[in-house]
């Protein structure tokens, strides 16, 4: 293994050290850059960490042994497959077959890309003239397809000290402009639909000729026609003829809809009948088939344990209506969302211009047990957890799902009484029933009317026990929640019609009780949050997902989450004692809460991305609450998914000065509950090599109390000073993205600290060669799973 990229190169070999595109003025430089077949290795200080990792892994890799093992495994698989031909129902043989197929897939990947260590890094990129020539053809083709018919492309390779410097020379010349677009077809119905949707056309007069737009327009026309009954139509019937005017640099484009080969014209197909069939798991149930008809659909069940009403509400195809591909796909999606079937297949039989829609399914397993053993990261300490879930499908024979959930775990949490970081234990168990409809209120016809929105109702009862050294807390909870989504699945709604909890804190540590009593003597009645209490609320949430945010392979995706909650609303109709009355032993709470969380993902190119998040929330107690919220309803700032330069739940509120422990100025010992939060996070993300990505980030924000808090001077929100109390942290991160798992390491340093006196809040100058991380506790290390947003 060597640090030099050019080490051990053979005679005549050169590493690709630099690519340069010259002459690009009007076309898309980013898109052209993606067409270069050989990208130089990512370098830092003259070497590449990815290459070092790859070379290290190659010391333990023998391709000949991998090839031999692959050949042997394929031989064993062939033997198993031969035995299965005579014993197709043998479960042991099937499992062996699946295991061997998975092993072969892994060995093929290993043979092609190397072992796991090699795949984490990347090999040194050696100049290949065939790939350079292919890049030339890629660039030439791209320019022609984007209207630069007269473009010229050339390249030059310069070599120096085993390094190759490649220049791609482009002369664009003038692009061709679409002068006119004309559609030719003798089918008046097709012309009518195209005219009705012409404003959505992707080919527009006056724009530069673009072959990509033509391909997208063909797909759009196919979708329009297939959604309006033209079952047999396909984009292969759409041809384009371009007439060039070389002197004017213009294109006249003719869009031709060709006739079908099997009839005189393209016909509209109508759904004549719909059949829904649930296939039995084996032949044992063949003589138990149940036939029924509901809402124009012929149902065939192998047992009388399914609801035709529920299934019909998810089927968007209708007898007597024109064929629609979108409705067929939507039907498949809605039926899959019921989680009752292993698969859902839809086929169509034709007779003339009539269609028979055949929906075939096979039931999912009745019971499903899922066990999970994992680890959570809190306060930089790993905490193991175990969870198990038992799912009983079709519990009441109308698509309901009964779920039992249990979770037990440990978490690292900074002590509120200065005891350092310790393990907090938590046990959570619940039972819930999910109904695939709106349970209440229920009216005739609502199933069919709302089925396209994938409605469900969750009824849940749960118990939570938390054991921290400061206190032990348990809660019994009941929930009635409604969820539905728009047909394009872009927006999801949740209404928690009733969220009721009874909370007790049977044990409070003496030191923690002293802290609460000291706060109370200074005017902060947080101690009421630890009285026995009955907490009820009504809340609603909508999540709007633009362009599949969370996929992180899409372009310009964003997500908006809006949440509103009214707590203790029913207490307005009863005579209930206020929490500030003398001798109160039982707390009641009333509050209003709202939150808006916006996230944006903006790729610059295949390797670089900007992402940002804006989060605002406010909660206001009123009535019998006497100015105090339930502890779980407060906002907390700081931590791995908030302002990362501060420990979890330790930032703010406002410019108040937190209590510090023996670890120095930044050893904040207590959590900082607040009634308002404002935070923003900006990240620049870049792919490095293999599984490794990096990030640079800036976080800014804080939390505040709405009214004055005498125990924490400066904690209240004031319009004339809140902007001076914005905390700012900056840092860099390393991420390991394994597709199924993202491991995140973030190092964040406090830059502006609102807890310091005005004029001294810029603390980044504490960093020096002697103190590269500033004062003790100024820089915080975050270890997490997944992206911060």
């Amino acid at each position: 293994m060597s640090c030099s990229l050019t080490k051990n190169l053979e005679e005549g070999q050169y590493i690709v050290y630099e690519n340069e595109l010259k002459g690009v003025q009007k076309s898309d430089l980013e898109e052209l850059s993606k067409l270069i077949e050989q990208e130089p290795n990512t370098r830092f200080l003259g070497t590449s960490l990815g290459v070092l990792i790859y070379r290290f892994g190659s010391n333990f890799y023998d391709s000949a042994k991998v090839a031999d093992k692959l050949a042997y495994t394929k031989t064993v698989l062939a033997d198993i497959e031969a035995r299965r031909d005579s014993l197709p129902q043998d479960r042991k043989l099937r499992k062996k077959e699946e295991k061997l197929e998975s092993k072969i897939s892994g060995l093929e990947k290993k043979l092609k890309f190397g072992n796991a260590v090699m795949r984490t890094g990347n090999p040194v990129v050696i100049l290949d003239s065939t790939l350079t020539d292919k890049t030339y053809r890629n660039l030439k083709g791209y320019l022609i397809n984007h209207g630069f018919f007269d473009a010229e492309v050339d390249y030059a390779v310069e070599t120096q000290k085993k390094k190759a410097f490649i220049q791609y020379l482009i002369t664009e010349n003038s692009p061709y402009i679409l002068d006119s677009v004309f559609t030719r077809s003798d089918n008046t119905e097709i012309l009518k639909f195209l005219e009705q949707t012409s404003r959505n056309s992707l080919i527009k007069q006056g724009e530069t000729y673009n072959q990509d737009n033509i391909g997208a327009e063909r797909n759009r026309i196919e979708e329009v026609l297939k959604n309006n009954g033209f079952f047999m139509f396909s984009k292969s019937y759409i041809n384009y003829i371009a007439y060039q005017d070389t002197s004017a640099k213009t294109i006249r484009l003719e869009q031709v809809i060709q006739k079908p080969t099997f009839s005189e014209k393209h016909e509209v197909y109508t759904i004549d009948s719909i059949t829904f069939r649930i296939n039995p798991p084996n032949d044992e149930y063949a003589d138990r088939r149940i036939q029924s008809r509901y809402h124009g659909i012929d149902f065939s069940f192998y047992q009388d344990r399914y609801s035709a009403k529920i299934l019909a509400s998810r089927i968007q195809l209708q007898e007597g209506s024109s064929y629609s591909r979108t409705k067929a796909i939507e039907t498949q999606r809605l039926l899959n969302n019921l989680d009752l079937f292993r698969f859902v297949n839809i086929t169509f039989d034709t007779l003339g211009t009539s269609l028979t829609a055949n929906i075939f399914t096979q039931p999912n397993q009745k019971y499903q047990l899922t066990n999970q053993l994992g680890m959570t990261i809190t306060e930089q300490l790993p905490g193991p957890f175990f969870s198990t879930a038992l799912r009983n499908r079709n519990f009441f024979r109308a698509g309901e799902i009964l779920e039992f959930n249990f979770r037990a775990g440990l978490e690292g949490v900074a002590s509120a009484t200065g005891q350092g970081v310790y393990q907090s234990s938590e046990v959570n168990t619940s039972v819930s029933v999910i109904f695939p409809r709106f349970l209440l209120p229920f009216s005739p016809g609502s199933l069919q009317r709302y089925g396209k929105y994938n409605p469900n109702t969750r009824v849940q009862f749960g118990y939570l026990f938390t054991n921290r050294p400061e206190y032990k807390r348990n809660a019994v909870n009941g929930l009635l929640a409604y969820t539905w989504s728009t047909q394009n699945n872009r927006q999801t709604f949740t209404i928690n019609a009733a969220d009721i909890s009874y909370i007790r804190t049977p044990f409070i540590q003496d030191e923690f009780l002293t802290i609460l009593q000291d706060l109370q003597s200074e005017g902060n009645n947080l101690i009421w949050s630890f009285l026995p209490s009955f907490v009820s609320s009504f809340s609603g949430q909508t999540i709007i997902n633009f362009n599949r945010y969370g996929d992180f392979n899409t372009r310009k995706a964003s997500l908006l989450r809006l949440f509103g909650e009214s707590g203790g609303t029913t207490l307005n109709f009863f005579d209930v004692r206020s929490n500030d009355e003398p001798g109160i032993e039982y707390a009641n709470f009333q509050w209003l809460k709202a939150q808006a969380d916006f996230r944006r993902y903006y790729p610059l190119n295949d390797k670089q991305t900007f992402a940002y998040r804006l989060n605002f929330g406010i909660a206001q107690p009123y009535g019998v609450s006497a100015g105090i919220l339930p502890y779980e309803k407060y906002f907390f700032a700081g931590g791995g998914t908030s302002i990362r330069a501060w420990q979890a739940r330790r930032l703010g509120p406002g410019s108040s000065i937190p209590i510090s422990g023996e670890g120095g100025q930044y050893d904040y010992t207590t959590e900082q509950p607040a009634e308002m939060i404002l935070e923003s996070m900006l990240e620049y993300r870049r792919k490095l090599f293999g599984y490794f990505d990096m990030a640079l980030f800036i976080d800014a924000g804080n939390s505040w109390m709405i009214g004055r808090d005498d125990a924490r001077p400066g904690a209240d929100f004031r319009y004339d000073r809140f902007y001076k109390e914005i905390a700012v942290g900056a840092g860099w991160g390393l991420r390991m993205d394994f597709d199924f798992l993202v491991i995140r390491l973030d190092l964040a340093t406090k830059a502006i600290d609102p807890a310091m006196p005005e004029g001294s809040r810029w603390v980044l100058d504490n960093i020096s060669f002697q103190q590269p991380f500033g004062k003790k506790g100024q820089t915080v290390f975050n270890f997490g799973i997944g992206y911060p947003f």
Side-chain angles (χ1 to χ4, degrees):
M1 185 172 67
S2 171
C3 293
S4 173
L5 290 174
T6 59
K7 187 74 172 179
N8 298 327
L9 290 182
E10 297 178 5
E11 184 67 29
Q13 284 187 332
Y14 302 90
I15 68 163
V16 177
Y17 203 76
E18 185 179 288
N19 286 321
E20 184 180 7
L21 276 169
K22 300 188 70 174
V24 180
Q25 297 177 347
K26 300 174 184 177
S27 47
D28 192 324
L29 178 61
E30 178 185 328
E31 292 299 318
L32 286 167
S33 299
K34 293 178 183 178
L35 300 175
I36 297 176
E37 293 290 332
Q38 288 190 290
E39 284 288 336
N41 295 106
T42 303
R43 303 184 302 274
F44 180 71
L45 298 178
T47 190
S48 169
L49 180 59
V51 173
L52 289 176
I53 294 173
Y54 184 89
R55 288 175 175 171
F56 176 76
S58 65
N59 293 327
F60 313 99
Y61 177 70
D62 187 332
S63 59
K65 287 185 178 180
V66 176
D68 290 343
K69 193 171 184 179
L70 176 61
Y72 172 75
T73 307
K74 286 182 175 180
T75 302
V76 176
L77 176 61
D79 179 60
I80 295 294
E81 289 174 339
R83 292 166 62 189
R84 279 209 66 199
D85 287 340
S86 57
L87 298 169
Q89 302 298 326
D90 192 305
R91 292 185 178 182
K92 289 184 178 180
L93 287 178
R94 187 177 71 232
K95 287 184 178 181
K96 285 183 179 180
E97 184 181 45
E98 292 172 352
K99 189 175 180 180
L100 287 169
E101 287 174 346
S102 177
K103 187 176 182 180
I104 287 172
S105 176
L107 287 170
E108 288 175 340
K109 184 177 180 180
K110 188 174 182 180
L111 186 62
K112 185 175 181 180
F113 301 107
N115 58 34
V117 178
M118 295 167 71
R119 294 195 299 272
T120 301
N122 47 33
V124 66
V125 179
I126 298 174
L127 178 66
D128 186 334
S129 59
T130 60
L131 294 178
T132 306
D133 190 61
K134 185 178 179 182
T135 298
Y136 155 78
R137 295 194 303 273
N138 290 345
L139 297 174
K140 182 74 172 179
Y142 177 90
L143 291 166
I144 291 174
N145 287 337
H146 289 76
F148 295 90
F149 295 114
D150 301 328
E152 298 176 4
V153 180
D154 200 357
Y155 64 88
V157 180
E158 180 183 340
T159 58
Q160 183 180 359
K161 295 182 179 180
K162 293 293 184 179
K163 299 174 183 176
F165 302 83
I166 310 173
Q167 279 190 349
Y168 296 97
L169 311 171
I170 294 174
T171 304
E172 294 173 326
N173 295 315
S174 298
Y176 280 64
I177 306 300
L178 281 173
D179 178 67
S180 60
V181 181
F182 175 74
T183 302
R184 179 159 55 90
S185 174
D186 56 5
N187 191 314
T188 56
E189 284 188 277
I190 287 180
L191 288 175
K192 179 187 71 173
F193 285 121
L194 295 186
E195 178 63 28
Q196 290 174 350
T197 61
S198 60
R199 64 182 181 277
N200 299 324
S201 175
L202 301 172
I203 306 175
K204 300 186 184 298
Q205 182 179 343
E207 292 187 351
T208 301
Y209 175 89
N210 189 329
Q211 188 68 36
D212 292 342
N213 289 344
I214 291 176
E217 178 66 5
R218 294 177 80 211
N219 291 333
R220 187 193 72 84
I221 291 174
E222 181 187 46
E223 191 71 13
V224 167
L225 296 180
K226 277 190 172 292
N227 285 333
N228 285 279
F230 291 91
F231 175 74
M232 298 297 291
F233 187 87
S234 73
K235 59 187 177 183
S236 63
Y237 293 111
I238 309 172
N239 284 335
Y240 291 89
I241 304 173
Y243 301 95
Q244 286 182 248
D245 186 333
T246 56
S247 59
K249 304 292 184 184
T250 58
I251 294 284
R252 288 189 302 112
L253 192 65
E254 185 177 21
Q255 183 174 262
V256 182
I257 310 297
Q258 295 180 323
K259 288 185 177 182
T261 56
F262 50 84
S263 65
E264 282 298 311
K265 68 171 187 174
H266 295 285
E267 300 278 4
V268 172
Y269 284 69
T270 302
I271 296 177
D272 182 60
S273 61
I274 304 171
T275 64
F276 185 103
R277 180 185 177 94
I278 300 179
N279 294 324
N282 53 58
D283 295 337
E284 178 184 346
Y285 298 92
D287 58 346
R288 306 185 195 178
R289 187 159 294 282
I290 306 296
Q291 307 284 341
S292 66
R293 182 174 175 82
Y294 180 81
H295 207 264
I297 303 170
D298 295 312
F299 289 95
S300 177
F301 306 147
Y302 70 89
Q303 277 185 325
D304 186 16
R305 47 176 291 195
Y306 293 93
S307 168
K309 291 182 180 181
I310 293 295
L311 297 175
S313 72
R314 293 327 199 246
I315 298 173
Q316 302 304 296
L317 301 170
Q318 290 185 337
E319 189 178 63
S321 64
S322 298
Y323 167 78
S324 169
R325 180 163 70 178
T326 295
K327 287 186 177 180
I329 294 172
E330 187 69 4
T331 295
Q332 193 171 33
R333 183 182 70 84
L334 290 170
L335 289 171
N336 275 318
N337 284 341
L338 290 173
D339 194 30
L340 297 176
F341 309 110
R342 296 189 181 187
F343 61 84
V344 177
N345 291 333
I346 303 178
T347 62
F348 293 90
D349 296 332
T350 61
L351 180 61
T353 58
S354 296
L355 295 175
T356 298
N358 303 298
I359 305 173
F360 298 97
T361 69
Q362 187 167 356
N364 217 331
Q365 55 188 8
K366 173 70 172 173
Y367 298 98
Q368 180 181 351
L369 181 65
T370 304
N371 296 314
Q372 187 177 14
L373 183 65
M375 190 170 294
T376 57
I377 308 296
T378 308
E379 297 289 344
Q380 288 45 266
L381 280 188
F385 72 86
F386 169 76
S387 66
T388 184
L390 175 63
R391 172 168 282 211
N392 183 341
R393 295 182 173 91
N394 208 27
F395 184 63
F396 294 125
R397 298 192 176 188
E400 301 87 358
I401 294 176
L402 175 67
E403 281 188 345
F404 293 94
N405 289 281
F406 174 84
R407 186 183 189 278
L410 298 175
E411 291 185 357
V413 182
S415 171
T417 54
Q419 298 176 8
V421 180
Y422 59 85
Q423 295 295 315
S424 168
S425 61
E426 183 177 283
V427 175
N428 190 352
T429 184
S430 67
V431 57
S432 58
V433 180
I434 304 170
F435 299 85
R437 60 188 182 276
F438 292 138
L439 193 60
L440 294 171
F442 183 80
S443 61
S446 63
L447 265 178
Q448 200 64 38
R449 187 161 56 248
Y450 301 122
K452 60 186 176 182
Y453 301 116
N454 192 36
N456 70 61
T457 303
R458 177 183 288 268
V459 179
Q460 178 175 298
F461 297 95
Y463 171 76
L464 173 66
F465 172 73
T466 303
N467 183 7
R468 296 175 52 151
E470 299 98 341
Y471 58 82
K472 294 180 181 178
R473 195 170 174 90
N474 48 47
V476 179
N477 172 263
L479 176 69
L480 173 65
Y482 297 91
T483 303
W484 70 98
S485 59
T486 55
Q487 285 185 273
N488 59 9
N489 221 27
R490 179 174 169 179
Q491 194 166 358
T492 302
F493 301 89
T494 301
I495 295 293
N496 294 317
D499 189 349
I500 304 170
S501 299
Y502 175 69
I503 303 172
R504 291 180 65 250
T505 311
F507 168 78
I508 300 180
Q509 185 190 52
D510 291 340
E511 291 89 339
F512 185 56
L513 182 60
T514 300
I515 291 175
L516 294 175
Q517 290 171 342
D518 290 343
L519 288 172
Q520 188 177 32
S521 67
E522 296 175 6
N524 184 321
N525 291 309
L526 184 63
I527 192 171
W528 294 344
S529 290
F530 293 89
L531 292 175
S533 57
F534 179 80
V535 178
S536 65
S537 71
F538 171 86
S539 64
Q541 173 180 276
T542 178
I543 297 176
I544 308 171
N545 194 323
F546 303 92
N547 200 21
R548 296 187 302 159
Y549 182 90
D551 186 337
F552 295 131
N553 289 317
T554 59
R555 296 182 63 86
K556 299 180 183 178
S558 55
L559 179 143
L560 175 63
R561 173 182 172 268
L562 300 173
F563 173 81
E565 182 177 40
S566 174
T569 311
T570 56
L571 298 181
N572 291 308
F573 305 103
F574 300 95
D575 184 14
V576 179
R577 294 178 65 191
S578 176
N579 290 341
D580 58 359
E581 292 186 18
I584 192 77
E585 295 182 355
Y586 185 88
N588 290 290
F589 297 98
Q590 291 176 292
W591 74 92
L592 296 173
K593 186 174 184 179
Q595 189 172 5
D597 185 350
F598 179 75
R599 306 172 184 201
R600 177 76 164 167
Y601 175 85
Y602 191 96
L604 301 176
N605 51 45
D606 284 348
K607 290 190 174 182
Q608 302 178 89
T609 302
F610 273 113
Y612 64 86
R613 178 193 181 202
L614 300 173
N615 180 41
F616 172 77
I618 186 169
Q620 181 63 60
Y622 72 94
V624 298
S625 290
I628 296 297
L629 291 168
Y631 195 70
E632 290 77 11
K633 300 299 178 180
Y634 281 106
F635 292 105
F636 296 88
T641 56
S642 180
I643 313 300
R644 281 165 280 187
W646 274 259
Q647 289 177 297
R649 304 161 75 94
R650 295 302 194 273
L651 172 58
S655 55
S656 62
I657 303 174
I659 300 173
S660 298
E662 298 177 357
Q665 174 185 340
Y666 293 115
D667 180 22
Y668 299 144
T669 59
T670 57
E671 296 179 351
Q672 299 297 329
E675 295 170 346
M676 191 176 93
I677 191 169
L678 176 64
E679 58 186 5
S680 62
M681 308 167 73
L682 173 65
E683 279 201 355
Y684 166 74
R685 301 171 182 171
R686 181 181 176 87
K687 293 184 180 296
L688 294 177
F689 53 84
Y691 301 118
F692 289 94
D693 302 341
M694 60 85 68
L696 300 174
F697 58 84
I698 297 177
D699 303 331
N702 205 338
S703 62
W704 292 269
M705 297 297 289
I706 302 301
R708 182 177 175 82
D709 186 346
D710 293 330
R712 296 182 290 178
D716 56 321
F717 179 85
R718 294 277 297 274
Y719 286 104
D720 58 352
R721 74 161 195 259
F722 84 94
Y723 59 91
K724 302 177 184 178
E725 298 171 340
I726 299 294
V728 177
W732 67 277
L734 182 68
R735 285 84 192 268
M736 286 168 279
D737 188 349
F738 300 103
D739 292 333
F740 63 92
L741 173 70
V742 176
I743 298 175
R744 174 166 53 92
L745 308 172
D746 288 335
L747 196 67
T749 298
K750 298 174 180 66
I752 298 178
D753 185 0
M756 298 293 288
E758 272 196 76
S760 303
R761 290 176 179 171
W762 178 259
V763 296
L764 196 61
D765 53 7
N766 291 335
I767 293 177
S768 63
F769 284 108
Q770 290 76 26
Q771 291 182 309
F773 300 111
K775 292 185 178 180
K776 185 178 181 181
Q778 183 173 343
T779 298
V780 176
F781 175 73
N782 291 281
F783 175 69
I785 303 297
Y787 289 101
F789 60 94

